[in-house]
Amino acid sequence: MTPSLLHRILDHANRADPYPIYEELRRTPVHHEDDGPYVISTYYEIRGLLHDPRISSDARNQAVAAGDPLAEAPKEESALPPGFLRLDPPEHDRLRRMTNRPFGPPHTPHRVDGMRPELHDIVSGLIDGIGDPSRIDLVEQFSYPFPVTVICRLLGVPREDEARFHTWADTLAASLDPEPGADRGDRDKEAHDARMQLGMYLAGLIEERRRNPGDDMLSQLATAEGEDGAMTTMELLSTAALLLIAGHETTVNLITNGMLTLLRNPDVLRRLRAEPRLAVPVVEELLRFEPPVQLLPQRTTLADIEVRGVTIPKGSGLWLVLASGNRDPERFTDPDRFDPDRPDIQHLGLGSGIHSCFGAPLARLEAQFALAELARRLENPRLLEDPPPYRQNAVLRGPRHLHIGCDGIRP
């Protein structure tokens, strides 16, 4: 039997190039199979739904829609509640406002921009430490340690604890992938256990920050009393876990996908080497062309909604395939061409609406620094394997390794 489009999207064999599947998907902009979710693949429809208050991100609504009789039952006290990414207003808005106070405008307007010297030093140190330039694993030696170091410093998490939370982060990232028709029991238990262990780890850090606060975000969140009051301990734990994981997982993919794309487009790589300021439009086009978040599978309709003449019933599951919308020819001219000179790159790579990427300013800056310095310092870089091996994750898509070689490393 021919696999369904949904199973083909999730099939690891198609991870290196899912875009032909997305092109096929766009022929039916509202795709529905049996009792599965409604899959939306075209740009304007995805963007509209991301701004539609009748679409819920709350996992409890998703469970109710799936007919889970325990959806509203109290969860174990040891399990972390959902982070604000998985909540609807007003809870979402309150927690996001509180989290933003120590991160960005209007209360902390220079937090991200003030990290520029630190970002430069981290990037330079990682490139200096590469060693043998003839065979580099960009993921292991650069793309992963860079954003992990940044988010640890920003939050106040000891960098030496990375080995502890790496496994938990991988497990929780994997749990984002939907599995139509599969028994999620084992995977849900693994995700629950990972969240519990991460929560216990963060609880210790938060208690320490309350006793001895510093200038890091964890200290400020733990001790803040603003117009929205203070976060409860469980809200603080969930928020800290969300920032720690989301603060590096997507940026790893953005940098790795970026370098892979540049190596496949050597003319752009040469331009970037000569014009470091080109990093800004390069990163924006990368967010359209190879977004690190490919789809948002965890949405539920709160009412009947009509999309392109199809009525999606209340309580239905939705998948919004951002990466497909970013290649929609109804929105972008020649969408399968990587072109940082596009005059209009209003992509969906960082989402849109109330759930647009919280860390977007930092992710953009990290990718700009990373790609500009790699382009400047690596002499004659080349791919040693194309396509590279990809991670299993269909939601957070990126190479697990990216082996490249170069003739040397410039000072």
Side-chain angles (χ1 to χ4, degrees), residues 147-210:
V148 166
T149 300
V150 172
I151 197 63
C152 283
R153 291 190 187 179
L154 183 67
L155 288 178
V157 172
R159 178 64 174 83
E160 57 269 23
D161 288 349
E162 181 272 333
R164 298 178 65 186
F165 63 75
H166 188 173
T167 301
W168 303 329
D170 276 354
T171 300
L172 292 172
S175 73
L176 295 173
D177 264 15
E179 291 185 3
D183 181 2
R184 289 183 51 109
D186 290 343
R187 199 173 68 161
D188 284 350
K189 183 181 186 305
E190 288 177 2
H192 174 274
D193 291 347
R195 284 177 66 82
M196 183 174 67
Q197 292 176 66
L198 179 58
M200 292 172 65
Y201 166 73
L202 290 170
L205 285 183
I206 289 167
E207 184 56 35
E208 170 61 27
R209 295 300 182 279
R210 282 174 170 157

Side-chain angles (χ1 to χ4, degrees), residues 58-362:
D58 194 317
R60 292 166 293 187
N61 286 323
Q62 187 180 32
V64 169
D68 182 354
L70 302 179
E72 298 300 327
K75 302 291 187 286
E76 295 180 49
E77 290 299 318
S78 58
L80 294 180
F84 61 78
L85 188 65
R86 300 297 310 280
L87 294 174
D88 295 335
E91 296 100 322
H92 163 273
D93 298 352
R94 177 179 63 85
L95 288 173
R96 183 159 174 148
R97 276 196 308 268
M98 295 170 75
T99 308
N100 197 60
R101 288 181 69 91
F103 183 71
H107 304 287
T108 318
H110 304 297
R111 166 73 81 179
V112 172
D113 197 61
M115 295 184 74
R116 286 176 178 270
E118 195 169 8
L119 296 180
H120 181 270
D121 290 346
I122 297 169
V123 166
S124 296
L126 288 170
I127 296 176
D128 288 341
I130 280 176
D132 180 7
S134 66
R135 186 171 180 84
I136 302 165
D137 183 343
L138 197 77
V139 176
E140 295 292 331
Q141 295 175 259
F142 186 84
S143 302
Y144 180 78
F146 175 38
V148 166
T149 300
V150 172
I151 197 63
C152 283
R153 291 190 187 179
L154 183 67
L155 288 178
V157 172
R159 178 64 174 83
E160 57 269 23
D161 288 349
E162 181 272 333
R164 298 178 65 186
F165 63 75
H166 188 173
T167 301
W168 303 329
D170 276 354
T171 300
L172 292 172
S175 73
L176 295 173
D177 264 15
E179 291 185 3
D183 181 2
R184 289 183 51 109
D186 290 343
R187 199 173 68 161
D188 284 350
K189 183 181 186 305
E190 288 177 2
H192 174 274
D193 291 347
R195 284 177 66 82
M196 183 174 67
Q197 292 176 66
L198 179 58
M200 292 172 65
Y201 166 73
L202 290 170
L205 285 183
I206 289 167
E207 184 56 35
E208 170 61 27
R209 295 300 182 279
R210 282 174 170 157
R211 290 196 303 265
N212 301 295
D215 61 356
D216 54 82
M217 275 189 68
L218 209 54
S219 295
Q220 291 168 307
L221 290 171
T223 57
E225 279 280 1
E227 58 201 36
D228 290 299
M231 288 187 189
T232 67
T233 297
M234 294 304 283
E235 288 173 342
L236 182 54
L237 289 174
S238 286
T239 299
L242 172 62
L243 296 177
L244 181 61
I245 295 171
H248 74 272
E249 284 284 343
T250 53
T251 311
V252 173
N253 288 344
L254 178 57
I255 294 170
T256 310
N257 289 337
M259 196 59 189
L260 175 62
T261 301
L262 288 171
L263 289 168
R264 289 171 171 171
N265 293 268
D267 55 328
V268 180
L269 181 59
R270 285 192 294 270
R271 285 182 60 197
L272 179 59
R273 182 179 300 121
E275 310 168 45
R277 291 186 180 181
L278 188 66
V280 173
V282 160
V283 168
E284 292 310 301
E285 173 69 342
L286 281 168
L287 286 163
R288 182 198 71 82
F289 187 75
E290 285 277 29
V293 179
Q294 294 273 295
L295 67 147
L296 302 176
Q298 296 162 332
R299 297 291 188 271
T300 311
T301 55
L302 299 178
D304 290 357
I305 298 176
E306 184 175 319
V307 179
R308 295 280 281 256
V310 176
T311 298
I312 303 176
K314 176 182 178 179
S316 299
L318 278 184
W319 289 9
L320 305 178
V321 189
L322 305 179
S324 175
N326 278 345
R327 300 275 189 115
D328 186 349
E330 291 185 7
R331 174 60 182 82
F332 297 102
T333 302
D334 199 2
D336 293 323
R337 182 167 65 93
F338 178 69
D339 179 13
D341 295 319
R342 287 180 187 276
D344 176 17
I345 315 179
Q346 292 186 351
H347 55 75
L348 301 170
L350 296 170
S352 192
I354 64 169
H355 290 290
S356 60
C357 177
F358 178 85
L362 180 58

Side-chain angles (χ1 to χ4, degrees), residues 360-400:
L362 180 58
R364 282 183 162 109
L365 200 58
E366 287 177 281
Q368 291 162 14
F369 266 98
L371 296 174
E373 278 298 283
L374 288 169
R376 184 182 74 82
R377 295 194 59 187
L378 300 186
E379 295 182 10
N380 189 30
R382 53 200 174 271
L383 287 169
L384 300 181
E385 186 179 13
D386 191 14
Y390 275 77
R391 300 167 65 180
Q392 293 283 347
N393 205 308
V395 173
L396 304 177
R397 175 179 168 268
R400 180 167 290 282

